[in-house]
């Protein structure tokens, strides 16, 4: 192990889920690990706080293989600097002091079918940060040198942290529409955590963005670059309302034919039921938001309509390593920004409480240098 001249302490502060199943976190002092073969030790300075962390802490996702263990260090949107290399890790080309990020998929095997097809975020032996591995709500964490995300100069760590998750997720979703520059993309939930990033990144990719959300989000979303906005509250929540919204979206789309893609940035079953109606021939619905509770099939996805219009429905889980690198580069160029407030470690529990009551405006980023 090479540590050069960077001092690494024997212990550091970490925020753990002390009572999994409920909203509760606790700051503890834990032993700082040594990097193993191919690993780097990262002195984390910032971590975003995500709804997925809350779901893991509160055991809200039945699809995870086991309940969360007490003492788990959560977090998966971490940025910091490389402070030590394990054996062989320097071959990655990373340098001591270089900034890197840890995202949701903290490591992947790089050898399975998913990894080899560029879908390493779905690697069955991949490790989810803050669930399978100690996450980013701590001052020091390990990561594979060949899998952490380099953070470009000119992008602040506070800004980079939440973009490692939401930004990467919507960027990968937008790519999966296979749309061309100039095509129309519809973003349901455009004013939300994922949606507001999708509007900016989609615009940066050359798409014309049609945004859908509650009317009070209109100014915000148009300010981010959406060309058209539809207020969902102005449409009845039935077949007739869905048809009227679909007609309006189509009329506003390129050539009035409908959208090349819908990137679903809400977790609403009602929104999924509307989405196929927005598409033009050969269009793609990308499922990104995950509805909670009992799964409901996507409305309108009957074989005849799918076949006649050759529509596609695809899922998109986070994004791969390349998507993460590309998203960071876009952010460094100023194409996408996220609103955030910075809080000390002791504010994590109250952040989750505010999140649970839907009171958060923008993202919270934890400053891991402040207790
Ligand atoms: Zn996240
Ligand atoms: Zn794999």
């Amino acid at each position: 192990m090479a540590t050069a001249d960077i001092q690494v302490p024997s212990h550091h502060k970490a925020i753990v889920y002390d009572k999994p199943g409920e909203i509760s976190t606790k700051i503890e002092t834990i032993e700082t690990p040594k990097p193993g073969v191919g690993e780097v030790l990262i002195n984390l300075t910032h971590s975003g706080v995500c709804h997925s962390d809350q779901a893991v802490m509160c055991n809200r996702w039945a699809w995870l293989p086991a309940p969360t263990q007490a003492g788990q260090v959560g977090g998966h949107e971490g940025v910091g600097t490389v402070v030590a290399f394990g054996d062989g890790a320097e071959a990655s080309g990373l340098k001591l002091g270089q900034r890197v990020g840890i995202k949701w998929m903290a490591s992947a095997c790089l050898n399975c079918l998913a990894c080899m097809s560029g879908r390493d975020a779905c690697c069955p032996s991949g490790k989810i940060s803050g669930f399978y591995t100690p996450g980013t709500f701590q001052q020091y964490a390990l990561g594979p040198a060949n899998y952490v995300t380099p953070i470009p100069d000119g992008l602040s760590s506070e800004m980079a942290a939440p973009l490692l998750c939401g930004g990467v997720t919507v960027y990968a979703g937008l790519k999966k529409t296979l749309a061309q520059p100039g095509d129309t993309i519809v973003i349901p939930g455009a004013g939300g955590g994922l949606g507001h990033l999708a509007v900016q990144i989609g615009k940066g990719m050359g798409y014309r963005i049609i945004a859908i959300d509650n009317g009070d989000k209109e100014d915000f979303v148009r300010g981010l670059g959406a060309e058209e906005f539809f207020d969902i509250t102005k449409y009845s929540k039935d077949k007739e309302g869905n048809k009227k919204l679909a007609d309006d979206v189509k009329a506003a789309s390129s050539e009035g034919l409908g959208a090349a893609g819908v990137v679903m940035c809400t977790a609403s079953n009602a929104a999924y039921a509307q989405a196929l109606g927005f598409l033009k021939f050969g269009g793609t619905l990308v499922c990104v938001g995950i509805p909670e509770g009992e799964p409901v099939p996507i409305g309108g996805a009957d074989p005849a309509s799918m076949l006649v219009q050759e529509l596609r429905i695809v899922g998109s889980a986070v994004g791969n390593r390349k998507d993460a690198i590309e998203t960071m580069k876009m952010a460094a160029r100023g194409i996408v920004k996220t609103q955030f407030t910075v809080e000390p470690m002791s504010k994590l529990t109250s952040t989750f409480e505010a999140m649970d009551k839907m009171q958060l405006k923008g993202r919270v980023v934890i400053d891991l240098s402040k207790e």
Side-chain angles (χ1 to χ4, degrees):
M1 189 180 93
T3 51
D5 48 0
I6 297 183
Q7 282 294 317
V8 175
S10 63
H11 290 76
H12 67 266
K13 301 281 186 199
I15 320 174
V16 303
Y17 302 144
D18 56 335
K19 296 174 200 158
E22 53 185 280
I23 295 176
S24 179
T25 70
K26 194 174 154 214
I27 298 176
E28 286 185 352
T29 300
I30 64 169
E31 203 175 321
T32 306
K34 303 253 186 294
V37 174
E39 288 182 327
V40 285
L41 179 67
I42 303 160
N43 177 200
L44 294 168
T45 57
H46 296 88
S47 178
V49 185
C50 182
H51 283 88
S52 305
D53 294 316
Q54 188 172 48
V56 168
M57 172 177 59
C58 297
N59 288 320
R60 285 181 190 170
W61 279 345
W63 58 268
L64 285 172
T68 301
Q69 300 294 306
Q72 172 72 47
V73 180
H76 61 269
E77 303 178 356
V79 176
T81 55
V82 174
V83 292
F85 290 100
D87 286 341
E90 273 168 294
S92 64
L94 293 177
K95 302 272 177 275
L96 276 181
Q98 181 174 349
R99 283 188 310 150
V100 294
I102 296 175
K103 56 186 174 51
W104 174 254
M105 190 55 76
S107 71
C109 80
L110 307 182
N111 284 316
C112 70
L113 194 56
C115 285
M116 286 198 292
S117 59
R119 295 167 179 181
D120 43 78
C122 302
C123 176
S125 35
K127 300 278 186 277
I128 296 171
S129 174
F131 180 69
Y132 290 97
T133 64
T136 58
F137 295 148
Q138 57 175 339
Q139 295 168 330
Y140 288 85
L142 297 173
N146 65 357
Y147 199 71
V148 293
T149 306
I151 308 296
D153 291 343
L155 176 63
S156 74
S157 300
E158 298 93 309
M159 182 74 84
L163 289 174
L164 275 170
C165 189
V168 176
T169 299
V170 299
Y171 176 61
L174 284 158
K175 278 170 91 173
K176 288 196 179 74
T177 64
L178 307 181
Q180 301 296 312
D183 278 342
T184 298
I185 299 288
V186 180
I187 312 288
L194 288 173
H196 86 288
L197 301 175
V199 172
Q200 299 173 74
I201 294 177
K203 187 180 175 228
M205 293 167 81
Y207 304 136
R208 302 179 58 195
I209 305 295
I210 294 181
I212 302 176
D213 210 318
N214 291 340
D216 59 354
K217 305 271 181 75
E218 176 164 359
D219 291 344
F220 170 57
V221 171
R222 282 191 186 274
L224 299 174
E227 282 188 29
E228 294 289 346
F229 181 93
F230 293 100
D231 179 353
I232 194 67
T233 63
K234 297 220 167 104
Y235 296 85
S236 57
K237 287 189 173 123
D238 52 18
K239 250 186 163 170
E240 225 166 79
N242 288 356
K243 167 92 171 55
K244 173 87 174 58
L245 178 61
D247 289 346
D248 290 353
V249 166
K250 278 191 167 155
S253 68
S254 301
E255 292 152 37
L257 295 172
V262 176
V263 179
M264 186 58 71
C265 289
T266 90
S268 146
N269 283 309
Y272 271 102
Q274 298 164 337
L276 291 171
F278 305 151
L279 293 173
K280 70 174 177 183
F281 179 82
T284 303
L285 164 62
V286 182
C287 306
V288 175
I290 310 174
E292 289 189 356
E294 275 298 299
V296 177
I298 293 169
D302 61 284
S305 327
M306 295 297 297
L307 176 157
V308 170
Q309 295 196 75
E310 296 209 340
L311 302 177
R312 303 189 318 133
I313 300 176
V314 300
S316 187
V318 211
N320 66 20
R321 184 165 50 142
K322 186 161 171 278
D323 295 328
I325 290 168
E326 289 169 359
T327 303
M328 292 302 109
K329 286 182 178 167
M330 286 182 111
R333 288 166 54 215
I335 284 172
V336 53
K337 293 190 169 65
T338 186
Q339 291 177 333
F340 58 85
T341 46
V342 179
E343 299 284 2
M345 294 173 93
S346 56
K347 288 285 172 64
L348 183 61
T349 303
S350 57
T351 297
F352 279 128
E353 283 163 356
M355 182 185 280
D356 205 43
K357 294 181 193 125
M358 314 251 267
Q359 288 167 347
L360 284 188
K361 289 223 168 64
R363 282 283 184 159
V364 170
V365 175
I366 301 292
D367 179 344
L368 296 162
S369 70
K370 296 203 176 79
E371 215 178 311

